[in-house]
Amino acid sequence: MRIVIAGGHGQIALRLERLLHARGDEVAGIIRRPEQAGDVLAAGAEPVVCDLESASVGDVARHLEGADAAVFAAGAGPGSGAERKDSVDRGAAALFADAAEAAGVRRFLVVSSMGADREPIEGTDPVFAAYLRAKGAADADVRARAGLDWTILRPGRLTDDPGTGQVTLADATGRGPVSRDDVAAVLAALLEEPDTAGRTLELIGGDVPAAEAVRNVAAH
């Protein structure tokens, strides 16, 4: 498969690139800054410099031509304010989905966030609340698109602990932590399981191997 990942220098994206490269897929990682290219190359992916906050649909669609799948793993990141949460976590997601449709790439995965489906509770940090609202709006936008075979993955609290390869994946899991390694492993498995299209799934650590967890979800 050829897979294009938006946010190609992100912590989950770099892990996913390594996994996909290791299994023989062709991977491109869209990055904003040229100095990020070395890390993407080291992960086994082709770096593509394209700023999703300023690019046109046509610009991005050209990078998606011939791809079998697209993964939106971009985010404004820590230290960014509410305005960039909207422009990246919502705006860039919509742009990437527009570009996938324009390029005829149906399989579309989104790395979202647990809690994106409801209004943030009172007292939530304003920037984090803006992030959750942006993610929720992006998810709703993608779910409304008949031209995409989308799957939305909503991990729990992300950690940098070494992955166990064991997860809990379901429509609703309850809250809990999950390692970025294991998020990447589940994304890699989802790319090989088209029967998960049309699903919004929550993910936390658990006791089922990642690929098996994805197969179980696809069967129900």
Side-chain angles (χ1 to χ4, degrees):
M1 295 172 70
R2 174 171 171 80
I3 298 149
V4 179
I5 302 172
H9 192 256
Q11 296 185 70
I12 290 171
L14 288 169
R15 289 166 166 83
L16 178 59
E17 287 157 7
R18 287 191 285 269
L19 291 176
L20 297 177
H21 174 71
R23 77 181 187 194
D25 289 326
E26 182 184 336
V27 192
I30 294 179
I31 55 177
R32 192 161 58 93
R33 299 198 301 271
E35 59 267 28
Q36 298 170 331
D39 292 337
V40 174
L41 278 168
E46 169 199 350
V48 176
V49 179
C50 178
D51 186 350
L52 296 178
E53 289 181 273
S54 60
S56 69
V57 171
D59 291 337
V60 182
R62 281 191 287 276
H63 299 308
L64 283 159
E65 286 174 5
D68 299 292
V71 180
F72 185 80
S80 56
E83 188 174 323
R84 287 205 69 228
K85 301 300 185 195
D86 184 70
S87 64
V88 178
D89 292 280
R90 183 201 58 76
L95 173 74
F96 197 56
D98 285 341
E101 288 186 315
V105 181
R106 290 198 62 93
R107 190 68 174 118
F108 194 87
L109 267 56
V110 177
V111 182
S112 183
S113 174
M114 200 173 285
D117 55 349
R118 63 188 77 94
E119 180 63 16
I121 61 173
E122 193 173 343
T124 300
D125 172 77
V127 173
F128 188 63
Y131 166 76
L132 290 174
R133 291 189 187 103
K135 281 294 192 189
D139 293 353
D141 174 84
V142 168
R143 283 198 295 249
R145 294 173 185 262
L148 297 177
D149 296 327
W150 53 265
T151 303
I152 294 168
L153 185 65
R154 289 177 166 168
R157 181 176 57 81
L158 297 170
T159 77
D160 287 324
D161 297 336
T164 65
Q166 310 277 313
V167 300
T168 299
L169 180 70
D171 295 327
T173 61
R175 292 191 173 273
V178 62
S179 75
R180 289 178 171 87
D181 286 347
D182 290 335
V183 176
V186 168
L187 289 167
L190 286 169
L191 285 165
E192 292 194 305
E193 187 45 85
D195 287 344
T196 56
R199 300 288 292 275
T200 301
L201 301 167
E202 294 185 348
L203 173 68
I204 57 174
D207 55 12
V208 179
E212 183 182 337
V214 168
R215 286 195 299 270
N216 290 345
V217 163
H220 294 91

